[in-house]
Amino acid sequence: MTIIGERGMNELHIDLNRVGRMHVHTPMASRFDRTRWGIEHPVEWSTERDQTDRRLIPRFLEDAVGLAAPTQTPVSTPKSLAFRVIYQLLLFALNEEAEWDARNAQLDSSGMMSDNELPYFDNIESAQDALHRGTTVSGQAISRYDFWGMLRDGRCLGLIQTDGTLHLPGHDPVPLMSVYNANKRDILPTAMEIRDLLTA
């Protein structure tokens, strides 16, 4: 998983690689004092798991690249809502027997298939249409990077597009923001409704 700033990798570039290490690729902030954290860089995933404070590693990474912690929760945008829904869907599935996963439709993080073989768009016509005909807000062509496959036991149930759209086999696209607003902007019932749509 890679976090890139709006102006590209030179502005901000943090990634979590397949081996389980978090790397900061941009220059460390001048005021960053790594000794006060007691955390080695790159950060091992086992280090994150060992923390009792789930915010410690994100705060460390924010400090390393010079990001200020937000003073209030930002308003959800379609893009942030897409990732909030993905997070909640995976959280719901933690104790299930079925294995849930969210995979980028372009990159095969499992290493099992080449990127061109990912079958996530099969039978999801609205996603195929969006991929071939759509453009982003900035006017760029939409790419497979803009879609996340929601998988259960290896089968793609649907695609969540980073513009805040849910694509399902045999259905019209579902705007996540409409579902969110209908649920009084509460993420839990929103994600439950999306889960119901995925598993119907």
Side-chain angles (χ1 to χ4, degrees):
M1 179 171 185
T2 303
I3 301 169
I4 298 173
E6 290 182 356
R7 292 189 293 275
M9 291 186 178
N10 291 332
E11 174 197 25
L12 171 64
H13 183 188
I14 300 172
D15 74 29
L16 168 63
N17 67 21
R18 195 180 299 164
V19 181
R21 292 191 185 101
M22 286 170 265
H23 295 262
V24 175
H25 295 284
T26 41
M28 298 287 187
S30 57
R31 60 174 174 71
F32 178 61
D33 177 9
R34 70 176 65 227
T35 60
R36 82 178 184 93
W37 292 94
I39 297 172
E40 292 294 322
H41 180 263
V43 182
E44 299 286 343
W45 192 244
S46 57
T47 302
E48 197 285 331
R49 282 198 323 261
D50 292 342
Q51 304 305 316
T52 54
D53 179 1
R54 299 266 62 92
R55 282 283 301 143
L56 184 65
I57 299 298
R59 284 200 307 267
F60 168 80
L61 295 171
E62 288 166 353
D63 193 27
V65 298
L67 290 174
T71 56
Q72 63 184 36
T73 304
V75 175
S76 284
T77 64
K79 187 170 190 173
S80 65
L81 182 59
F83 287 105
R84 290 180 70 197
V85 166
I86 290 169
Y87 168 79
Q88 287 295 333
L89 290 171
L90 294 177
L91 194 62
F92 291 156
L94 274 179
N95 296 317
E96 285 193 14
E97 288 186 17
E99 183 179 337
W100 283 73
D101 200 358
R103 295 267 177 91
N104 185 267
Q106 175 65 34
L107 299 172
D108 176 34
S109 58
S110 72
M112 300 299 289
M113 291 180 279
S114 76
D115 293 342
N116 294 326
E117 294 174 338
L118 297 175
Y120 303 149
F121 289 85
D122 294 356
N123 305 318
I124 306 181
E125 290 184 13
S126 66
Q128 293 172 22
D129 289 344
L131 179 64
H132 296 300
R133 298 183 190 156
T135 56
T136 64
V137 174
S138 60
Q140 295 178 327
I142 290 173
S143 76
R144 292 170 66 103
Y145 287 107
D146 297 313
F147 296 84
W148 288 81
M150 295 306 306
L151 281 66
R152 184 174 63 180
D153 289 336
R155 186 171 72 87
C156 184
L157 303 177
L159 286 160
I160 294 179
Q161 190 176 346
T162 56
D163 72 349
T165 305
L166 172 67
H167 299 276
L168 298 163
H171 288 272
D172 290 335
V174 178
L176 296 179
M177 193 61 75
S178 296
V179 179
Y180 186 52
N181 288 334
N183 283 288
K184 300 178 182 175
R185 300 181 73 82
D186 187 334
I187 193 63
L188 293 178
T190 299
M192 284 301 297
E193 186 170 336
I194 298 303
R195 179 190 164 93
D196 289 344
L197 290 170
L198 285 165
T199 57

